[in-house]
PDB file of all heavy atoms in Angstrom:
ATOM      1  N   ARG B  38     -61.743 -99.055 -84.821  1.00 96.00           N
ATOM      2  CA  ARG B  38     -62.129 -97.790 -84.007  1.00 96.00           C
ATOM      3  C   ARG B  38     -63.435 -97.463 -84.530  1.00 96.00           C
ATOM      4  O   ARG B  38     -63.672 -97.270 -85.750  1.00 96.00           O
ATOM      5  CB  ARG B  38     -61.082 -96.819 -83.988  1.00 96.00           C
ATOM      6  CG  ARG B  38     -61.470 -95.490 -83.376  1.00 96.00           C
ATOM      7  CD  ARG B  38     -61.337 -95.662 -81.914  1.00 96.00           C
ATOM      8  NE  ARG B  38     -61.706 -94.406 -81.162  1.00 96.00           N
ATOM      9  CZ  ARG B  38     -60.904 -93.475 -80.922  1.00 96.00           C
ATOM     10  NH1 ARG B  38     -59.537 -93.439 -81.305  1.00 96.00           N
ATOM     11  NH2 ARG B  38     -61.269 -92.311 -80.358  1.00 96.00           N
ATOM     12  N   ILE B  39     -64.346 -97.171 -83.629  1.00 97.00           N
ATOM     13  CA  ILE B  39     -65.634 -96.392 -83.864  1.00 97.00           C
ATOM     14  C   ILE B  39     -65.683 -95.029 -83.223  1.00 97.00           C
ATOM     15  O   ILE B  39     -65.376 -94.981 -81.914  1.00 97.00           O
ATOM     16  CB  ILE B  39     -66.910 -97.367 -83.416  1.00 97.00           C
ATOM     17  CG1 ILE B  39     -66.857 -98.611 -84.161  1.00 97.00           C
ATOM     18  CG2 ILE B  39     -68.222 -96.496 -83.837  1.00 97.00           C
ATOM     19  CD1 ILE B  39     -67.866 -99.672 -83.678  1.00 97.00           C
ATOM     20  N   THR B  40     -66.081 -94.018 -84.062  1.00 96.00           N
ATOM     21  CA  THR B  40     -65.900 -92.756 -83.354  1.00 96.00           C
ATOM     22  C   THR B  40     -67.263 -91.865 -83.948  1.00 96.00           C
ATOM     23  O   THR B  40     -67.820 -92.426 -84.826  1.00 96.00           O
ATOM     24  CB  THR B  40     -64.663 -91.924 -83.711  1.00 96.00           C
ATOM     25  OG1 THR B  40     -64.593 -90.786 -82.925  1.00 96.00           O
ATOM     26  CG2 THR B  40     -64.629 -91.607 -85.157  1.00 96.00           C
ATOM     27  N   LYS B  41     -67.517 -90.743 -83.428  1.00 97.00           N
ATOM     28  CA  LYS B  41     -68.589 -89.962 -83.901  1.00 97.00           C
ATOM     29  C   LYS B  41     -68.115 -88.793 -84.641  1.00 97.00           C
ATOM     30  O   LYS B  41     -66.875 -88.265 -84.478  1.00 97.00           O
ATOM     31  CB  LYS B  41     -69.425 -89.549 -82.608  1.00 97.00           C
ATOM     32  CG  LYS B  41     -70.083 -90.691 -81.933  1.00 97.00           C
ATOM     33  CD  LYS B  41     -70.912 -90.161 -80.686  1.00 97.00           C
ATOM     34  CE  LYS B  41     -71.574 -91.319 -80.064  1.00 97.00           C
ATOM     35  NZ  LYS B  41     -72.378 -90.838 -78.902  1.00 97.00           N
ATOM     36  N   THR B  42     -68.947 -88.245 -85.501  1.00 97.00           N
ATOM     37  CA  THR B  42     -68.531 -87.123 -86.243  1.00 97.00           C
ATOM     38  C   THR B  42     -68.204 -86.026 -85.436  1.00 97.00           C
ATOM     39  O   THR B  42     -68.821 -85.650 -84.353  1.00 97.00           O
ATOM     40  CB  THR B  42     -69.909 -86.608 -87.055  1.00 97.00           C
ATOM     41  OG1 THR B  42     -70.201 -87.713 -88.050  1.00 97.00           O
ATOM     42  CG2 THR B  42     -69.592 -85.373 -87.873  1.00 97.00           C
ATOM     43  N   GLY B  43     -67.098 -85.329 -85.721  1.00 97.00           N
ATOM     44  CA  GLY B  43     -66.553 -84.160 -84.887  1.00 97.00           C
ATOM     45  C   GLY B  43     -65.494 -84.467 -83.930  1.00 97.00           C
ATOM     46  O   GLY B  43     -64.792 -83.610 -83.461  1.00 97.00           O
ATOM     47  N   LYS B  44     -65.375 -85.769 -83.731  1.00 97.00           N
ATOM     48  CA  LYS B  44     -64.345 -86.287 -82.683  1.00 97.00           C
ATOM     49  C   LYS B  44     -63.027 -86.221 -83.367  1.00 97.00           C
ATOM     50  O   LYS B  44     -62.757 -86.376 -84.590  1.00 97.00           O
ATOM     51  CB  LYS B  44     -64.611 -87.549 -82.198  1.00 97.00           C
ATOM     52  CG  LYS B  44     -65.918 -87.664 -81.366  1.00 97.00           C
ATOM     53  CD  LYS B  44     -65.844 -86.928 -79.989  1.00 97.00           C
ATOM     54  CE  LYS B  44     -67.017 -87.124 -79.248  1.00 97.00           C
ATOM     55  NZ  LYS B  44     -66.789 -86.367 -77.809  1.00 97.00           N
ATOM     56  N   ARG B  45     -61.944 -85.951 -82.357  1.00 96.00           N
ATOM     57  CA  ARG B  45     -60.601 -86.034 -82.880  1.00 96.00           C
ATOM     58  C   ARG B  45     -60.069 -87.386 -82.538  1.00 96.00           C
ATOM     59  O   ARG B  45     -60.257 -87.903 -81.381  1.00 96.00           O
ATOM     60  CB  ARG B  45     -59.684 -85.033 -82.321  1.00 96.00           C
ATOM     61  CG  ARG B  45     -58.271 -85.069 -82.554  1.00 96.00           C
ATOM     62  CD  ARG B  45     -57.452 -83.987 -81.988  1.00 96.00           C
ATOM     63  NE  ARG B  45     -56.037 -83.884 -82.491  1.00 96.00           N
ATOM     64  CZ  ARG B  45     -55.098 -84.724 -82.105  1.00 96.00           C
ATOM     65  NH1 ARG B  45     -55.245 -85.739 -81.221  1.00 96.00           N
ATOM     66  NH2 ARG B  45     -53.835 -84.494 -82.564  1.00 96.00           N
TER      67      ARG B  45
END
Side-chain angles (χ1 to χ4, degrees):
Chain B
R38 178 74 183 269
I39 300 174
T40 192
K41 295 182 179 180
T42 297
K44 294 292 187 180
R45 181 182 188 275

